[in-house]
Amino acid sequence: MSIRHGLLALLERGPRYGSQLRTEFESRTGSTWPLNVGQVYTTLARLERDGLVAPGGEDSAGHTLYAITEDGRTELRAWYERPVDRANPPRDELSIKLAMAVGAPGVDIRAVIQSQRHATIKAMQDYTRLKARALAAVESGQSRERDDVAWLLVLEQLIFQTEAEARWLDHCESRLVRLSLPADRRAAEPEPPQAADPADPAGTPHPTTAPAPTTTPPRAARTRRG
């Protein structure tokens, strides 16, 4: 995730200091991707080195303020306009785990899949409940802050992501069952169904699995809008 460009986007609204940037970043994303102050100041130092931000004096409490430069604004505009590159996808722990579990001695890969499916469905249900609250607040007029709208978009992305993960886990299990059949039966079996079109906005939790033990959603710390 581009912390670099996220900080530039916040600085475009005016000079800020490190702790303030961290707080606003987490507020905008619902603490889904928490930052520490050291990470923020390291990123600011690199942005300053690259000429994208510059020290902008101090506030009344003596905090060093940082301001975006014209080069920084140009870089930010280019980031907004540039599609996210999917040529080198980030490492995904679940994909790596299943890849390593295939054929691993003493590992029941179907049990691994089932355990993950429970956790994925529970996370999706948590996200869906949080979305309902956020949407009700925004649509009722109780809250029109840009942070609330931004958090709603993040929640919806998390819901789509967990829906896709649940479908993929179902596909993996079907694939493993088919590959475990003798060759003659495998030839007669149909291929596992392909995942649904990601453009189709599935709006309900995955129906095949009961909820797992409660997990803590990333927005749990932000209770003022609950």
Side-chain angles (χ1 to χ4, degrees):
M1 187 188 59
S2 183
I3 298 171
R4 172 185 177 94
H5 292 98
L7 297 186
L8 284 176
L10 294 173
L11 288 172
E12 191 178 34
R13 299 170 61 186
R16 279 154 172 71
Y17 56 88
S19 297
Q20 187 178 16
L21 286 167
R22 183 193 64 175
T23 299
E24 292 188 14
F25 184 95
E26 292 184 353
S27 178
R28 186 71 65 88
T29 60
S31 298
T32 305
W33 302 285
L35 300 178
N36 60 61
V37 173
Q39 192 174 13
V40 171
Y41 279 107
T42 297
T43 304
L44 285 171
R46 291 171 181 166
L47 290 171
E48 183 179 0
R49 177 200 64 194
D50 296 339
L52 304 180
V53 304
E58 296 183 348
D59 66 3
S60 58
H63 298 115
T64 300
L65 299 173
Y66 291 85
I68 191 170
T69 64
E70 285 306 312
D71 285 346
R73 294 180 192 280
T74 300
E75 172 65 20
L76 183 60
R77 295 275 83 72
W79 180 60
Y80 282 138
E81 295 167 5
R82 183 171 61 245
V84 174
D85 183 11
R86 300 298 186 191
N88 296 299
R91 294 181 183 89
D92 179 75
E93 182 180 357
L94 178 56
S95 298
I96 294 171
K97 179 189 288 188
L98 293 190
M100 297 302 166
V102 173
V107 176
D108 182 350
I109 189 170
R110 293 182 67 182
V112 174
I113 291 172
Q114 182 68 8
S115 175
Q116 182 61 49
R117 186 189 286 114
H118 277 283
T120 299
I121 297 304
K122 185 61 182 68
M124 180 164 46
Q125 292 169 340
D126 288 338
Y127 297 148
T128 301
R129 282 192 290 269
L130 288 170
K131 174 189 171 181
R133 295 179 197 169
L135 190 60
V138 171
E139 291 186 343
S140 68
Q142 297 175 19
S143 177
R144 291 290 181 181
E145 299 177 31
R146 71 175 75 191
D147 285 358
D148 293 298
V149 176
W151 170 227
L152 182 60
L153 295 180
V154 170
L155 273 173
E156 290 174 332
Q157 190 272 343
L158 292 170
I159 291 168
F160 278 115
Q161 189 177 59
T162 50
E163 286 174 346
E165 183 172 284
R167 292 197 302 270
W168 177 69
L169 288 166
D170 285 346
H171 171 83
C172 289
E173 189 169 44
S174 298
R175 174 71 71 192
L176 290 167
V177 169
R178 184 173 186 275
L179 291 176
S180 69
L181 297 173
D184 55 344
R185 287 189 59 192
R186 193 161 62 237
E189 290 283 335
E191 280 284 313
Q194 296 298 312
D197 184 346
D200 179 21
T204 56
H206 197 280
T208 61
T209 309
T214 302
T215 57
T216 302
R219 190 66 166 197
R222 185 176 176 185
T223 57
R224 65 184 180 85
R225 295 186 180 91

